Amino acid sequence: MNGSPRLITGVVVTTLLAGLCVGAGTASAATNLALGANVSTSSVEEASLAGPSAVDGNTGTRWASAEGADPQWIQLDLRAAKDIRQIRLNWEDAYARAYRLEASDDGNTWRALHSTSSGDGGLDEINVSTTARHLRLTGTQRGTVYGYSLWEFEVYGVGGQEPPPTGGYLPGTLRPSVSQAEQDQVLSRYYQQWKTNFLTTSCGGGQWAVRSVDADHAFVGEGQGYGMTISALMADVDPQARTVFDGILRFVKNHPSVIDRDLHAAEQNPDCVSVNGSDSATDADLEIAYALLLADRRWGSGGAYNYRQEALRIIAAIKRSEVHAGNKLPLVADWASSGSHNNGSRSSDWMPGHFRAFAKATGDSFWHNVRGATENAVTRLQQQFAPNTGLLPDFVQDTQSSLRPAIGKFLENAETDGKYSWNACRDPWRLGVDAITVSGSAAQAQVRKMNAWIKQATGGDPNRIAKGYDLNGAVVESGSSAAFFAPFAVAAMADPGSQAWLDRLWAKLASTSLSTTDYYASSIQVQVLLVLAGRYVAA
């Protein structure tokens, strides 16, 4: 299973620079103390799923216990006493709902390290402070009808033994060739700039909000979603992150849509009053719900807000008001449930990782159907309308009959609604994060097609990436913007033959300062830098 890491207990052991960890290093630089440990287990499902597969450093192999029986355990002998600061459990689909971790000096007398009865799979990170030779994980309640299964049981210590960045990326995913410290320094600088340029408390009442200085309105919903996601992903290194997150959530809750009050009104004026219909925008609600799931991972839901319940409330509203009941493609807003807009969709709302997270959080297969519908739509558009480029249009129409790029003005602009423009520019990033975190993701082939074309079309020069294209690759708007060149860096991460290209994209990103007047491109740039620096986690 490819899940997101959750910091469960204790204090992160890191070195801070301008609010960001620079001591972690890359995955290859860290020492996993469990690699090659002696392993014993209560049982195995079959010989090929034996205990040593959980400590071989290969996320394609796993230990699996016998099915249908509780409790089950796996025990490690590290061969010598080790100072241990973090344990990572990378669960396959057969995860533990309840489990405990114990340590021992001699393998006979055990002391408790951690226990939970609310496990939900994915990647668990448990911060501890102990010295031990032996570790034991005991599953006491299965989360599925199967047994217990781990891709990896990892252990990290102190000094040069810090764990790597917590992205949980697939083996073979490319990263910039520069050092982890340099990646973190660049991210830190631009994150601080982004906060200074675009965060405000001017609406009062404990509200924070992201100012959309280059949009039609002072505040837009997608910006609040971006702010919440960025804050949650920076939570372990920015002590202000939760305050910011809760403040933006307060702003969101104070501005509900007039159509479905569990959704966010997408636009507010400088006086912080909802305007322009006071209805929703699907891209905003998808991002807000996703960010809430990230917040639940980071902080749990026992504070001022129950993040998980807030997420479930919004996910349910998206299902009833912002997804077409027939074709399962996202609508553009809650007001688009009838008329011509009911047969349209925005390609940048087709975020497979978000839909995977919603399915897991709700247990509702509806979201797998939504993901499947969007994956099929991407493939169909690439095959029929962009066979050479893989580019997608901002909007599509005729979703009930013969899916095609929008003709003329569907929602925003008659010249660009059917082209790769200021909405679709996010697609290589939105699809790319699924490609680098989920084995077998349909997005892998989809973004590699985009990546191969843009690399060839620009001669490998990121400075030549334009601000809009026809689906056949012709430039429709010249100039350069991080909203367009940054997302291609995530697509490059998914293509094993693109290291040099990725490094050039990184250099372009690292040398492009954030503009105080361009919230949209700046917010995309910071989120892409989070991915490149290994800090992205899939909720």
Side-chain angles (χ1 to χ4, degrees):
M1 168 176 284
N2 292 285
S4 66
R6 176 177 53 182
L7 185 61
I8 293 179
T9 186
V11 179
V12 182
V13 182
T14 53
T15 301
L16 297 182
L17 175 66
L20 187 65
C21 166
V22 298
T26 63
S28 59
T31 300
N32 175 6
L33 304 177
L35 283 176
N38 292 327
V39 181
S40 56
T41 62
S42 55
S43 66
V44 295
E45 181 182 342
E46 57 182 62
S48 63
L49 302 175
S53 294
V55 294
D56 62 359
N58 182 352
T59 55
T61 63
R62 61 188 175 95
W63 164 68
S65 74
E67 295 184 352
D70 294 317
Q72 299 287 340
W73 52 264
I74 179 171
Q75 181 174 320
L76 309 186
D77 178 355
L78 304 179
R79 297 189 177 90
K82 304 289 185 181
D83 289 329
I84 300 169
R85 294 297 179 268
Q86 189 178 86
I87 296 170
R88 290 187 180 183
L89 304 175
N90 188 352
W91 296 99
E92 195 255 352
D93 288 343
Y95 68 94
R97 176 70 66 192
Y99 65 85
R100 64 177 181 267
L101 279 165
E102 300 166 292
S104 173
D105 300 321
D106 58 8
N108 294 311
T109 302
W110 296 89
R111 58 187 179 274
L113 293 179
H114 171 76
S115 65
T116 184
S117 59
S118 58
D120 59 1
L123 180 60
D124 286 348
E125 296 178 341
I126 302 98
N127 281 1
V128 299
S129 181
T130 192
T131 300
R133 172 173 173 170
H134 302 268
L135 294 171
R136 183 169 66 191
L137 166 68
T138 302
T140 55
Q141 180 185 349
R142 288 166 288 120
T144 70
V145 297
Y146 304 105
Y148 299 88
S149 184
L150 286 170
W151 293 112
E152 285 294 305
F153 187 153
E154 300 177 356
V155 181
Y156 295 95
V158 296
Q161 300 169 347
E162 296 95 337
T166 58
Y169 301 162
L170 293 173
T173 296
L174 299 183
R175 294 279 306 283
S177 295
V178 300
S179 70
Q180 184 67 46
E182 182 174 342
Q183 294 174 53
D184 288 345
Q185 288 167 346
V186 170
L187 173 58
S188 175
R189 183 169 71 250
Y190 287 156
Y191 171 63
Q192 296 298 335
Q193 287 182 16
W194 176 85
K195 289 179 67 178
T196 299
N197 292 350
F198 306 113
L199 284 178
T200 182
T201 58
S202 62
C203 293
Q207 297 176 104
W208 288 69
V210 177
R211 298 184 306 117
S212 51
V213 295
D214 50 319
D216 292 339
H217 298 86
F219 305 98
V220 295
E222 72 187 13
Q224 311 321 314
Y226 290 160
M228 292 169 71
T229 292
I230 291 170
S231 298
L233 290 176
M234 296 297 288
D236 58 340
V237 293
D238 181 0
Q240 193 183 32
R242 189 169 188 179
T243 298
V244 172
F245 187 97
D246 284 358
I248 298 176
L249 178 56
R250 185 173 291 111
F251 179 88
V252 167
K253 288 173 67 65
N254 285 345
H255 297 87
S257 168
V258 297
I259 296 176
D260 188 325
R261 295 188 63 82
D262 287 320
L263 300 174
H264 176 52
E267 294 157 326
Q268 288 75 40
N269 66 18
D271 295 325
C272 310
V273 176
S274 295
V275 293
N276 198 29
S278 301
D279 41 31
S280 80
T282 302
D283 56 350
D285 296 316
L286 291 170
E287 194 64 22
I288 290 166
Y290 188 78
L292 284 161
L293 293 177
L294 286 175
D296 177 58
R297 289 269 185 188
R298 291 292 188 181
W299 299 302
S301 290
Y305 294 104
N306 187 319
Y307 302 126
R308 183 172 180 82
Q309 288 304 312
E310 292 287 343
L312 294 177
R313 175 180 62 83
I314 296 171
I315 291 168
I318 296 170
K319 177 180 177 178
R320 67 175 175 257
S321 298
E322 292 181 331
V323 177
H324 194 288
N327 59 46
K328 300 298 186 291
L329 289 175
L331 302 170
V332 295
D334 60 1
W335 53 261
S337 58
S338 61
S340 60
H341 290 99
N342 187 242
N343 291 316
S345 189
R346 176 176 18 225
S347 68
S348 55
D349 293 349
W350 302 347
M351 297 180 277
H354 287 48
F355 303 138
R356 292 182 197 277
F358 296 173
K360 183 173 181 180
T362 63
D364 187 349
S365 62
F366 172 87
W367 293 107
H368 290 309
N369 295 333
V370 173
R371 176 174 56 83
T374 61
E375 289 171 345
N376 291 338
V378 172
T379 298
R380 183 174 176 181
L381 288 164
Q382 288 186 327
Q383 291 175 345
Q384 296 185 6
F385 299 97
N388 297 319
T389 67
L391 299 178
L392 302 175
D394 275 7
F395 299 97
V396 298
Q397 65 181 54
D398 300 335
T399 57
Q400 285 284 76
S401 53
S402 181
L403 179 75
R404 59 178 299 148
I407 299 173
K409 183 177 181 179
F410 173 78
L411 186 65
E412 296 182 1
N413 190 306
E415 298 298 322
T416 59
D417 276 4
K419 298 178 181 179
Y420 183 83
S421 191
W422 289 92
N423 284 285
C425 63
R426 296 174 284 188
D427 292 342
W429 154 47
R430 294 304 205 180
L431 298 175
V433 291
D434 200 63
I436 64 174
T437 58
V438 178
S439 179
S441 167
Q444 291 168 350
Q446 293 164 351
V447 298
R448 286 172 184 167
K449 190 174 188 70
M450 297 175 182
N451 178 66
W453 172 77
I454 194 65
K455 184 167 57 170
Q456 183 275 329
T458 60
D461 182 0
N463 294 304
R464 295 177 60 191
I465 297 176
K467 295 191 295 184
Y469 295 92
D470 277 316
L471 300 192
N472 64 11
V475 173
V476 297
E477 184 178 352
S478 60
S480 179
S481 170
F484 285 84
F485 64 75
F488 281 117
V490 183
M493 294 174 72
D495 189 340
S498 291
Q499 185 66 60
W501 170 238
L502 175 61
D503 289 342
R504 288 192 289 272
L505 285 162
W506 163 262
K508 172 74 171 173
L509 279 158
S511 62
T512 302
S513 296
L514 304 191
S515 168
T516 58
T517 60
D518 195 346
Y519 121 85
Y520 183 69
S522 296
S523 297
I524 292 174
Q525 185 172 350
V526 169
Q527 289 177 90
V528 168
L529 286 169
L530 278 160
V531 180
L532 291 169
R535 302 191 65 83
Y536 173 79
V537 294

